[in-house]
Amino acid sequence: FRTLRDFQALFPGNTAFGSVEIDDSKGDAKFEPMFAIARRRAEHGQQIESMYREHPLPLAMVAKFTGASPFELWDGFSRDPALGLKSAIGVEEEFGSARKIAQRPGVIIVDPVSIYAWVRMDVAPIIVKCGARLAVVQSSIDFLRDLVAERRGQRGTKFGTFGFDGQHYYMSELSSEVLEAQISAAEAAL
């Protein structure tokens, strides 16, 4: 209850969490607060997608704006082939180090979202057969382990999203099949 009460004060404008009051005396209009939240989240999502299209924002950074994980964003963004995927993040020093490593013959530097994407697209076995050496930092491995642990902990729990696509409201539930596919892909990436 404290979280519900304090969230907007602590994180103003953040659409990741919120609450509504439903007044039964208002008939069908009692659900308008929920619809308003769904419309705001959809607008916020459109703004983030536009920023992503127009600027070099990596998935990990976009994930911080949305409250989703980079893996969930990849799953969502990969459905739109025109969107394009940008998944690198870092500062110039990291890019400089990466350039030096990349100059070594046969070395490819990979981030966790790329590894996850290769598994989801079923191209990981082909990349492995190429014989290239992959440079993967420990934080990438930790990131994937965290995803597996989080998803395993969600087994048997029902949850989903209430949203607005610009014309219709919808409720989508994360099925156990999707959850198991994410666990399987993350374990294969590890």
Side-chain angles (χ1 to χ4, degrees), residues 87-166:
S87 57
I89 187 167
V91 295
E92 188 51 44
E93 292 80 19
E94 290 174 342
F95 289 128
S97 296
R99 281 187 207 84
K100 287 178 187 172
I101 293 170
Q103 289 173 355
R104 297 178 191 163
V107 174
I108 301 171
I109 301 170
V110 241
D111 64 294
V113 178
S114 295
I115 298 168
Y116 180 82
W118 293 343
V119 170
R120 294 285 283 175
M121 294 184 301
D122 292 326
V123 297
I126 296 166
I127 293 169
V128 169
K129 287 180 184 176
C130 289
R133 290 176 40 219
L134 302 180
V136 182
V137 296
Q138 182 63 44
S139 61
S140 294
I141 297 166
D142 294 342
F143 209 22
L144 287 163
R145 284 182 180 149
D146 289 346
L147 176 65
V148 170
E150 178 184 316
R151 291 296 185 245
R152 282 182 180 161
Q154 292 170 333
R155 283 178 169 150
T157 303
K158 287 187 154 208
F159 59 96
T161 302
F162 179 63
F164 180 68
D165 66 9

Side-chain angles (χ1 to χ4, degrees), residues 40-118:
R40 279 195 306 273
R41 288 184 67 213
E43 183 180 310
H44 182 68
Q46 289 298 319
Q47 290 171 345
I48 288 173
E49 186 176 312
S50 293
M51 282 179 14
Y52 184 77
R53 283 181 192 275
E54 298 165 11
H55 303 287
L57 294 174
L59 284 177
M61 187 177 291
V62 176
K64 288 192 182 286
F65 294 131
T66 64
S69 79
F71 306 108
E72 292 167 324
L73 280 177
W74 186 89
D75 283 336
F77 282 8
S78 65
R79 292 185 187 106
D80 182 357
L83 191 58
L85 294 169
K86 307 168 188 92
S87 57
I89 187 167
V91 295
E92 188 51 44
E93 292 80 19
E94 290 174 342
F95 289 128
S97 296
R99 281 187 207 84
K100 287 178 187 172
I101 293 170
Q103 289 173 355
R104 297 178 191 163
V107 174
I108 301 171
I109 301 170
V110 241
D111 64 294
V113 178
S114 295
I115 298 168
Y116 180 82
W118 293 343

